[in-house]
Amino acid sequence: MLNLLIDSLKQHKRKTILSILQCTASYILVILTLSLATHTNELASNVQNATSSLYKVNDNFFNDEEKNFLAQSDNLKVLNELYEWEKTNPSFKYIIASRQNLFLDVQGLPAKFQYGYDAGHETPDAYESIQVNQQFIDHFAIQASEGRLFQAGDYNVKNDVIPIILGHEYKDYFKLKQIIHVGYMGVNLKCKVIGFLGQHSFYNNGYALKYLDRIVVFPSLEVDNIHAQDRSFMLKLFLDKTSGYIQSSLSAQKIQKLFTQKSLQLDIEPYVVEGVSNFYLTMWGLEGEQLQKVLFIFSFVIAFVALFSISTNLIAKITLRKYTYGIMIANGTRRAVINLSILFEIFFINLVSLCIAALFSFMISQNINIPILLIFSFTLSLLSFIPPWISVNRLKLSKTIRGGN
């Protein structure tokens, strides 16, 4: 059988090479399509998670009302009690995404990072920042391209060095473990870069999906003793922390009722629960599941073309070797042995093609699903074997030998 396989590969080399090239091209298309489909599925899931059952909680303090509220130090206890209730309430998951600009003591950063740059009036030394808790990182599937994300101990306001994570575009200007002096709500803090976000990380700010590529991610600071720091700083800190996001299967009306009851209990103006805008991943004018169906159909078409190409080439080779197979069968070689050699040849062609395609595709997209590809290759090999198997089993000895090659 091994001699049969080697002999078949040596003869008609052009058809073997052609089969490998056609199969390789098909595998490359399948790999890239699967990679795109996987990436699309991840994005669609993240976008859906960023908008599904998500609500925004806002306080009712504006301008002078906020100043008057923060001027009363007794309200620190009120805000602390509201925050503790929010983060421990079993009816919902509480997500902090507070926005406060930071003042960074750095040199050489391009103006594009400065606050207000996109609106045409950047503020020197002020940079956009978002303060988050662990629920924010989990809910929006935030990942680091380098370094790490926040851990439990990173949120403690008592830390001598506060860890920060920088958006992807900061990678060219900062290094991991670099120390930065930061001005945050009138307090000077020593911070250390612990990671850089993956490119195009995003969250839902209630009105749009906002990229984090140019944003400094700051831990939402936790305190053991609310009177341990300056009261004006703590009041502002807690006011920011209590206006967050709610992720819950409950309706907005039920969540609003919970917040109204708690606000009245604390004798403050009831916080308002608002719906968050929904968004859908689109590409080529298609949304979410429609796009994934198109990619699936595209993969199926590629697989069918690959199956047709391999089968056609193998049947052509069998046709050219009919006389040889006829003589071998007449001399006692079983058809099963010939079929087995053809099956091994198919597996050989698929294996070589898969290795070449995987190597080429890895240079383009490193997201290759090996288990699925192996299953696909094995299935394609078995299906490709059906036409040659029929051809060999239908081979008539007398007619084949009389007809010659």
Side-chain angles (χ1 to χ4, degrees), residues 89-102:
N89 196 298
S91 299
F92 51 77
K93 179 171 68 175
Y94 187 65
I95 300 169
I96 298 176
S98 303
R99 289 182 293 172
Q100 277 287 342
N101 298 326
L102 301 179

Side-chain angles (χ1 to χ4, degrees), residues 137-189:
I137 293 174
D138 295 339
H139 183 78
F140 294 109
I142 303 299
Q143 295 182 348
S145 61
E146 289 185 26
R148 65 174 179 86
L149 299 175
F150 296 133
Q151 299 172 351
D154 294 334
Y155 298 94
N156 196 331
V157 73
K158 292 182 179 179
N159 289 333
D160 294 329
V161 179
I162 304 296
I164 57 174
I165 305 170
L166 301 179
H168 185 267
E169 292 190 22
Y170 279 102
K171 287 178 66 176
D172 295 333
Y173 307 97
F174 290 93
K175 298 179 180 179
L176 287 176
K177 299 182 180 180
Q178 182 174 340
I179 299 298
I180 305 173
H181 292 280
V182 174
Y184 172 56
M185 293 198 304
V187 176
N188 294 320
L189 299 172

Side-chain angles (χ1 to χ4, degrees), residues 15-25 348-350 352-353 356:
K15 288 197 173 292
T16 300
I17 294 173
L18 181 61
S19 296
I20 290 175
L21 291 176
Q22 288 176 328
C23 196
T24 299
F348 173 78
I349 291 173
N350 274 275
V352 172
S353 302
I356 296 172

Side-chain angles (χ1 to χ4, degrees), residues 191-362:
C191 298
K192 180 172 71 173
V193 179
I194 64 167
F196 295 95
L197 294 179
Q199 189 175 21
H200 301 326
S201 298
F202 65 88
Y203 79 104
N204 189 339
N205 69 359
Y207 306 100
L209 297 179
K210 185 169 180 62
Y211 284 125
L212 297 169
D213 291 341
R214 297 181 184 176
I215 292 181
V216 179
V217 183
F218 202 79
S220 182
L221 300 173
E222 299 286 341
V223 296
D224 298 324
N225 179 4
I226 61 174
H227 301 295
Q229 300 285 334
D230 177 79
R231 289 192 177 185
S232 60
F233 169 77
M234 297 300 292
L235 277 162
K236 183 60 178 171
L237 176 68
F238 274 101
L239 185 61
D240 284 354
K241 288 157 71 82
T242 51
S243 294
Y245 294 84
I246 296 293
Q247 197 280 322
S248 175
S249 59
L250 297 177
S251 66
Q253 290 80 5
K254 290 184 178 180
I255 297 174
Q256 180 64 75
K257 185 177 180 180
L258 290 173
F259 269 85
T260 300
Q261 290 174 346
K262 187 62 182 179
S263 299
L264 294 177
Q265 178 187 337
L266 296 172
D267 196 24
I268 57 175
E269 190 74 19
Y271 275 49
V272 177
V273 176
E274 301 175 347
V276 168
S277 299
N278 288 322
F279 306 94
Y280 303 94
L281 181 67
T282 60
M283 188 182 297
W284 309 321
L286 302 171
E287 294 182 353
E289 294 181 358
Q290 293 176 325
L291 177 60
Q292 293 173 45
K293 288 178 181 178
V294 169
L295 293 175
F296 173 78
I297 294 171
F298 187 45
S299 300
F300 181 79
V301 171
I302 294 171
F304 180 79
V305 171
L307 175 64
F308 178 80
S309 300
I310 296 171
S311 300
T312 303
N313 277 291
L314 287 168
I315 290 173
K317 290 181 72 174
I318 291 170
T319 302
L320 293 173
R321 300 197 73 205
K322 270 186 177 182
Y323 180 73
T324 304
Y325 287 148
I327 296 296
M328 292 175 64
I329 294 171
N331 288 330
T333 303
R334 291 182 300 166
R335 293 178 191 248
V337 174
I338 295 174
N339 282 326
L340 200 57
S341 71
I342 294 172
L343 181 61
F344 279 144
E345 184 174 349
I346 293 172
F347 276 120
F348 173 78
I349 291 173
N350 274 275
L351 181 61
V352 172
S353 302
L354 183 60
C355 291
I356 296 172
L359 183 63
F360 179 81
S361 301
F362 186 78

Side-chain angles (χ1 to χ4, degrees), residues 129-144:
S129 168
I130 182 171
Q131 295 79 57
V132 306
N133 61 352
Q134 192 61 41
Q135 285 75 11
F136 175 94
I137 293 174
D138 295 339
H139 183 78
F140 294 109
I142 303 299
Q143 295 182 348

